[in-house]
Amino acid sequence: MSALLADFLDDYGDALRRHMDSPTQAGLAEGYELGRRALVEGISLLDLTENHFRVVQDVEEQRQKQAAAEGGEPAARLPETALEFLLQTLVPLDIATRGYLDGTRRYEQQRSRADDLAGRDAFRTALVESLQDGFFVADAQGTIIEVNTAFGALTGYGASGVPYPLPHPWSSPEGPRYPDLGTEAQRFVIPIRHRDGRNVWLAVSTSALIKPEDNERIFVGTLRDITAEHDAQARDQAASRLATAVGAATSVVEVLAVGLDELRRTVGAETAVVAVWPSRTAAPEVYISGTGADRTSHNGAESLDDGSRALLDRARRRPPRSLLAIPDGAESSEGIVAPLGETGDAAVWLRFAAPRAISAADWTLFSLLIGHLSLAVQRARNFDQARATSLTLQRAMLGPIELPPRFSVHYEPALPPLEIGGDWYDVVPLRDGTIGVVVGDCVGRGLSAAVVMGQLRTAARALLLRGAGPAQLLAELDTVAARIPGAMCTTVCAAVLDPVRGLVRYSSAGHMPPILADVARTGRLLEGGRSVPLATFDPPRRPEATTALTPGSTLVLFTDGLVEQRGVDIDEGFAKIAAVLADTSGRLPREVADAVLSALRPSMGYDDDVAMVVYRQPPAPLRLDVPARADELAVLRRTLKGWLAAAAVPHDLAADLVAAANEACSNSIEHAYRNADTGRVRMSATCDIDTVVIVVNDTGDWKPRASDPGYRGRGIDMMRALTEELDIDHSESGTTVRMSVTLPAITFPVANPLRGTNRRVSG
């Protein structure tokens, strides 16, 4: 047995077994393609049928044995399924055989007629007519002057219409330029428009001849219908383009954003619409590509009328991989609808620009492309589920959801979008008013590093809550890490912040040094308290260092992924962070984190996880003493706004405080010195761990508040509404207005949430 025959029989057996296990139209199509292959490779009918019945017998015996082993009823025989597959395989062989016999019969008929002809021209005509391929003769100008019957069948233009001058009536206007027989290659492939309107692809072969009687140059050629081969190749190319387009997409929105455009262009549709029902009762999410949508969008539900939505709703309930022409049963279709996937919650609608007939090749192409799009959508859904799971896991193992005031945290994974890694941070308020901060980096990436990270973070938090200082925490983490597989060489930086005393104690186990920046000063590295990573050696004791936190200074702790880049000196990364911090003393901690990430982010994104904690020390008290004039209010507002930003007061809360302070100062200017030519207004602002206090006082004489101030006199009510505590003290030496608010906890990942509503008013 030859290797060619053996390969064919193996492929045939595999396809037959698949079809007997699960009979589908796709299986019959595979049988048809095997028949065409048998015709090309010269496989005999005897070999094919013997192999067929041998495979069928083997499958039946295996099913009988399996049924007997399971103690069930004998497996049913499947002769109809196997016979259907065999007949489908024999279709191309039967067509070829009949074509050969018809050609032979026509040739014999023409040959017998030629025997009776007297001249050579009559015999030539008979020979040409016996050809299965189309035959033509063209003059030097490209005019077709002779064709045979097969030519007329292929193009719809027979011998009765010759001559056919250029442009030939079958040339397709939207096709490529029609070849010049005198200068182009002797073999080419070209699309034509058949007389009945069909598009046909022909393979043309030409030769140039010189007529001996007049030395005139003519061209003779043959043409063959290769539409089926061309359509098959076009289907493969279209499927490849669609698969490539959606290959990099990792969400349903991304898949449909690129997939619908490619699907619409490939099938020549005017509009492609997909509706996805997130639940049985919810309205569908609609994605549109083409006319009526500048880009694929999931906000297009309003663009569908009730009829279109009902059409898609019916389509999604149809059996999977089924296509329906719209309108059903008509000769020309306006479009097709089909379920997308096999979950019954999505459907696709391809709408043509004008009604057109859908051929069998069109149905095959549509089915193939929609199948590829369905697989891509299902893959994206699976990816979305995995991403949601990983996000839940990562956020559960990362630091706290609520942070104390003046903090910001950031985590950026190196393996998006699953967002699983080994870097972590933790911010722990302690009982004595200090705040513990831990930033660490486990060796490796992915889920295994995240598991190690979760255990070490939990242990570090417990040690902080027990009262361990930075050096003691790292020393005890050495013991913990030694018992956790994969925790060796983990780097950690632990710090305890004392906002009241303005101090930070820290210790580093092989980690990146924190960077501290005073107000309007370039940041500097805190390189004290350094030692080896966890569980590597047994140091006699972990060192610890203490540094002052000047009012308004900014402290940044981070992992190595922020500054380590291929081909870049790590000192350059440190210098960039230090330079950014010099210009961010008036920004919120979240804005500082964004500025640092923007300055250091590589063009292709970070290739290692990044964890970062930003802390702002309360600034020095603000004290202003200005003349009691209305033109000084702008200076007061601007200065207070800048101080509140330096104090890390969220923007919405800062705006309320500026408005309340402006009202208090306005009252002093307008009412306190109504009987005096000059006076002064003093304003101070202080900030401790979580409270901001603003005091406005003057030395003037206020008039009592009217019982009915009318449309004016609402300033005190406004100050009460904008602050949590308001105290107004009138005395002989003047009036003092004291306003205070409690800074809100920072809810991760939102940096500036709305503050609480607990308000207390006195005075």
Side-chain angles (χ1 to χ4, degrees), residues 390 393-400 409-415 419-426 438-458 486 489-493 511-512 557-564 597 606-613 748:
S390 68
L393 173 64
Q394 186 75 40
R395 289 179 179 174
M397 292 191 299
L398 277 174
V409 295
H410 183 88
Y411 177 80
E412 182 158 338
L415 300 175
E419 302 197 17
I420 287 288
D423 291 18
W424 87 90
Y425 56 78
D426 208 349
V438 179
V439 175
D441 183 3
C442 297
V443 176
R445 299 180 182 178
L447 185 58
S448 59
V451 171
V452 175
M453 173 268 287
Q455 298 177 75
L456 291 178
R457 189 195 71 82
T458 302
C489 292
T490 296
T491 64
V492 181
C493 182
H511 199 76
M512 295 288 104
L557 298 90
F558 53 92
T559 56
D560 58 3
L562 181 64
V563 293
E564 288 186 347
L597 290 168
Y606 293 103
D607 57 4
D608 194 6
D609 301 338
V610 175
M612 180 167 55
V613 177
F748 180 81

Side-chain angles (χ1 to χ4, degrees), residues 428-436 464-465 468 496:
V428 185
L430 304 177
R431 276 184 272 182
D432 60 356
T434 60
I435 303 171
L464 282 172
L465 292 173
V496 175

